[in-house]
Amino acid sequence: MAKGKFSLNFDAIEALFKPKMPPLIGADISSSAVKMVEIIDAGKGAYRLERYAIEPLPTESVVEGNINNLDAVIEAVKRCHKRLGSNLKNLALALPNAAVISKKILVPAGQSDDDLGLQVETEANQYIPFSLDEVNLDYQVVGPAPNSPEDVEVLIAASRKDKIDDRIAVAEGAGLKAMVMDVDLFAAQSAFELIEATMPERGRDLNIAIVDIGASTMTVNVLRNDQSVYMREQPFGGGQLTQEIQNKFGLSSEEAEAAKRAGGLPENYGTEVLLPFLDTLGLEIARGIQFFFSSTQYNKVDHIVLCGGCAAIPGIAEAVAKRAQVETTVANPFANMGMSAHIRRKNLEHDAPSLMVACGLAMRRFDK
């Protein structure tokens, strides 16, 4: 399994052992929308964004990563796939971070695959509060252990089977096929590798915080040399801005969400609603970074990369940089890709930060 890539075993897992992954679409089912991305090989190590689509989900169809309304999500996936306009039916999907238990362990180096698998299962029993019969378990050898040359670091991850089965059922209900089951966190990290490649010295020896601002949850994931050294979820997201728009202007939840995305709100929206929200967001991110300092050996974050739907708000990078006192940019994993003729670049620039997980999933197509 390639570095930084992760899959949980399920019925279609045999696809992972073919010489090359079959062509597939990255499909991110978030709490607010279904997002699909198709990327193709452009030759000479380059990629091309072939197409993408975003389809909003009805309110509370997905709550905290759990699929509450299976039929509504299936219909949204159908609409998104139709909007995408692709003939591909294979999907790479992801589980929400909260649905996955992950842990790094040390094991002796040089073991056979069978012996390593048995040891991982034994170790997993210590960390998973469920019977192994109730979960799907997978592992990935990260590399040599930093302070123990005779060992290797192994990342183990497990999720309850019903969480995986829900997403497989969505794919099948939409007439599609789930080929890969990743994790939101790892998929976003895979997409970040495309951004990291453009940084000085590819971001070597820097602490880079990927901050994903979703509808209700903000995830701070600090990477150092492609490894996560800290991860924290905080209950803050774009839903707060929607709520404040509702309260200020007497709109329904749907009207507030639509106005937030399309514009057209009264002139005092910027000064009385948006700027205070951005200031609070900056404080929340600064708070998350302070937790990183107090929980690890590090006392510096070199760069913040913002992603998620909220990251498209104009002025957000400046507001966060001011509060956190850290250089901040908005994620665009497609910046150095070629584009098919029907991609509207202006639209993509707005949508790119919300497509990090879908992009990372789409890149699973190129796994060996």
Side-chain angles (χ1 to χ4, degrees):
M1 214 176 290
K3 183 180 180 183
K5 310 297 194 297
F6 210 87
S7 289
L8 291 163
N9 293 324
F10 60 104
D11 290 344
I13 197 70
E14 67 269 12
L16 293 177
F17 298 102
K18 294 178 181 177
K20 188 177 181 181
M21 186 73 70
L24 48 75
I25 294 163
D28 173 23
I29 302 172
S30 72
S31 59
S32 60
V34 176
K35 289 155 270 191
M36 293 186 178
V37 168
E38 184 184 344
I39 295 170
I40 66 171
D41 187 343
K44 299 181 180 179
Y47 303 106
R48 187 174 84 201
L49 176 61
E50 192 66 8
R51 49 179 63 89
Y52 79 92
I54 300 173
E55 182 67 31
L57 278 166
T59 304
E60 297 191 350
S61 299
V62 178
V63 179
E64 295 181 356
N66 297 312
I67 295 175
N68 281 355
N69 188 334
L70 189 67
D71 290 341
V73 177
I74 287 172
E75 289 305 312
V77 168
K78 283 182 181 176
R79 291 193 301 272
C80 193
H81 188 256
K82 184 177 180 180
R83 187 190 297 270
L84 187 72
S86 174
N87 293 324
L88 299 182
K89 294 187 179 294
N90 296 328
L91 301 184
L93 297 162
L95 293 166
N97 303 327
V100 180
I101 298 167
S102 59
K103 179 75 177 177
K104 279 185 183 177
I105 61 172
L106 298 184
V107 301
Q111 296 189 67
S112 68
D113 287 345
D114 288 343
D115 288 343
L116 180 57
L118 287 171
Q119 182 158 1
V120 165
E121 230 177 81
T122 303
E123 293 277 352
N125 267 318
Q126 301 177 43
Y127 305 109
I128 299 169
F130 313 109
S131 163
L132 288 185
D133 293 336
E134 299 176 37
V135 303
N136 284 15
L137 175 70
D138 202 2
Y139 67 90
Q140 173 193 330
V141 177
V142 177
N147 302 313
S148 179
E150 296 164 358
D151 296 323
V152 291
E153 270 190 332
V154 175
L155 178 64
I156 60 175
S159 178
R160 289 177 64 94
K161 290 180 179 177
D162 57 341
K163 303 295 184 186
I164 296 171
D165 290 344
D166 281 351
R167 278 165 166 72
I168 294 174
V170 166
E172 291 177 348
L176 306 170
K177 184 176 182 181
M179 295 297 293
V180 171
M181 194 68 67
D182 210 316
V183 182
D184 282 349
L185 190 73
F186 302 139
Q189 284 182 211
S190 296
F192 171 70
E193 290 176 12
L194 298 168
I195 298 170
E196 187 182 45
T198 67
M199 292 182 165
E201 297 184 18
R202 301 181 67 91
R204 186 73 187 168
D205 296 330
L206 298 181
N207 293 333
I208 301 169
I210 303 175
V211 181
D212 188 336
I213 312 155
S216 59
T217 304
M218 183 175 73
T219 304
V220 179
N221 180 26
V222 183
L223 303 181
R224 184 176 179 86
N225 298 331
D226 298 328
Q227 298 297 321
S228 178
V229 294
Y230 174 83
M231 199 281 283
R232 175 185 171 85
E233 290 192 340
Q234 296 173 216
F236 184 89
Q240 275 89 328
L241 179 56
T242 304
Q243 186 64 54
E244 288 164 22
I245 293 171
Q246 279 183 256
N247 296 342
K248 182 71 176 176
F249 303 112
L251 302 175
S252 69
S253 175
E254 291 76 14
E255 289 170 339
E257 186 64 33
K260 183 175 77 173
R261 295 176 183 278
L265 285 162
E267 286 184 14
N268 59 339
Y269 164 66
T271 55
E272 296 182 23
V273 178
L274 182 58
L275 288 180
F277 171 79
L278 290 177
D279 191 52
T280 303
L281 172 63
L283 285 171
E284 286 290 328
I285 292 175
R287 182 165 159 256
I289 288 172
Q290 287 302 318
F291 278 118
F292 165 62
F293 296 154
S294 62
S295 304
T296 68
Q297 69 198 58
Y298 303 105
N299 58 13
K300 184 183 180 185
V301 165
D302 298 284
H303 198 96
I304 295 171
V305 177
L306 302 175
C307 60
C310 267
I313 296 174
I316 191 171
E318 293 81 4
V320 171
K322 181 180 177 181
R323 276 297 184 183
Q325 293 295 295
V326 177
E327 183 181 359
T328 303
T329 55
V330 174
N332 183 357
F334 311 106
N336 287 327
M337 284 189 193
M339 303 285 163
S340 63
H342 53 265
I343 298 287
R344 296 181 178 178
R345 289 181 180 270
K346 187 175 181 180
N347 290 357
L348 177 63
E349 188 174 330
H350 179 272
D351 295 332
S354 70
L355 295 171
M356 281 285 280
V357 170
C359 174
L361 293 172
M363 292 298 293
R364 295 300 303 270
R365 177 176 186 166
F366 308 106
D367 284 1
K368 296 292 187 289

